[in-house]
Amino acid sequence: MILQDFYKILSEEKVSDSKYIVTILVNEKHEVFKGHFPGNPIMPGVCMIQIIKELTESITKSSLMIQSLANVKFMALINPEVTPELRLELDITITEDGLVKVKNTTFFNDTTALKLSNVYKKI
């Protein structure tokens, strides 16, 4: 984990061969939020991308490097003081050439906060 104590996994469920639902709790007291933004904490997009990478590494038991990101859509601001619990739906497939493809949708409550597709290379 690059950011120590940034989040903790509350649950991880495999719902099909390639689909996982992971619920995390974001630490709203983390140093990141003191600078992004003072008095109005907002989850940095790069932190969400890192969380998705770390969860994918845990699920695939592989060290990964981002090869590409596509269709990245930040649809709602995540304020960790208001909605620290996030649900990430991950659809993970490994190609014949060993690439790891992930489609993610992240929610707080019933609100879609983020959608993205990315490809990782195993390292």
Side-chain angles (χ1 to χ4, degrees):
M1 191 180 294
I2 287 181
L3 294 172
Q4 294 300 316
D5 301 320
F6 189 66
Y7 68 96
K8 69 178 180 177
I9 297 172
L10 298 177
S11 67
E12 181 181 312
E13 177 185 4
K14 183 175 183 176
V15 293
S16 74
D17 284 345
S18 65
K19 294 187 183 193
Y20 298 81
I21 297 175
V22 182
T23 303
I24 65 169
L25 184 66
V26 176
N27 176 6
E28 74 272 9
K29 305 283 187 216
H30 196 276
E31 289 289 316
V32 163
F33 299 114
K34 290 181 181 171
H36 201 266
F37 295 95
N40 185 27
I42 303 296
M43 172 71 79
V46 69
C47 291
M48 282 306 308
I49 292 169
Q50 181 63 30
I51 290 169
I52 294 163
K53 176 183 176 280
E54 290 174 3
L55 295 176
T56 304
E57 286 177 323
S58 175
I59 290 167
T60 63
K61 296 177 181 30
S62 302
S63 293
L64 302 172
M65 181 173 64
I66 294 174
Q67 183 170 349
S68 66
L69 291 168
N71 302 316
V72 181
K73 295 179 182 148
F74 294 98
M75 303 172 79
L77 297 175
I78 300 170
N79 180 333
E81 291 178 348
V82 178
T83 52
E85 189 172 303
L86 304 176
R87 184 179 81 252
L88 292 90
E89 297 181 0
L90 303 165
D91 188 347
I92 302 170
T93 56
I94 300 174
T95 66
E96 288 182 15
D97 56 355
L99 296 176
V100 179
K101 293 184 175 185
V102 178
K103 289 182 183 177
N104 165 261
T105 306
T106 300
F107 301 89
F108 58 85
N109 302 323
D110 291 328
T111 301
T112 303
L114 168 65
K115 287 185 173 188
L116 70 78
S117 299
N118 52 11
V119 178
Y120 299 102
K121 187 163 89 171
K122 291 183 182 182
I123 53 174

